[in-house]
Amino acid sequence: QVQLVESGGGLVQPGGSLRLSCVASGFTSDAYIIGWFRQAPGREREGVSCIKIRDGSTYYTDSVKGRFTASRDSAKDTVYLQMASLKPEDTAVYHCAGSRRAYRASMCSPGWFDVWGQGTQVTVSS
């Protein structure tokens, strides 16, 4: 059974940084993609970044390009989302999710993803 557990959220001032972690268990091969999604109150869930575990290729939504970096540590079955230059509009609950159906990192929309973590709150405020 595949499980994902996120950690690393919190309160940070504008311009600050946070690193989110997603520990994955239960995948039997590296043929999957991990995505980071966020949802703010009253807004639709948004694909922030996705990473293809096999080759490390990544996708970022335009609003986070140059500020967020996704990476993987295969030995630890962990994916990270390093977030820098955070803005108040980055405030949301962030979820990691796993997909064995998606085959490109650019397939970073919720419909491709079958397994979801519980989410972690990120609040950017002074």
Side-chain angles (χ1 to χ4, degrees), residues 27-122:
F27 286 102
T28 57
S29 75
D30 64 356
Y32 63 99
I33 289 175
I34 293 293
W36 289 98
F37 298 84
R38 65 187 179 187
Q39 189 163 20
R43 302 191 66 176
E44 292 188 357
R45 187 166 292 186
E46 173 190 27
V48 175
S49 176
C50 287
I51 183 166
K52 185 175 179 180
I53 299 303
R54 178 162 288 175
D55 62 10
S57 56
T58 54
Y59 161 87
Y60 301 95
T61 193
D62 285 346
S63 62
V64 308
K65 283 180 181 176
R67 301 189 297 123
F68 290 12
T69 304
S71 61
R72 76 210 194 286
D73 183 338
S74 297
K76 297 181 179 179
D77 292 328
T78 301
V79 169
Y80 303 99
L81 185 67
Q82 180 70 48
M83 305 185 294
S85 302
L86 283 161
K87 304 175 181 180
E89 52 263 43
D90 294 317
T91 295
V93 176
Y94 285 69
H95 297 264
C96 68
S99 174
R100 285 172 285 199
R101 295 183 291 120
Y103 50 89
R104 285 196 296 266
S106 58
M107 295 176 168
C108 201
S109 58
W112 284 102
F113 290 78
D114 305 306
V115 183
W116 293 81
Q118 80 284 0
T120 185
Q121 177 70 46
V122 172

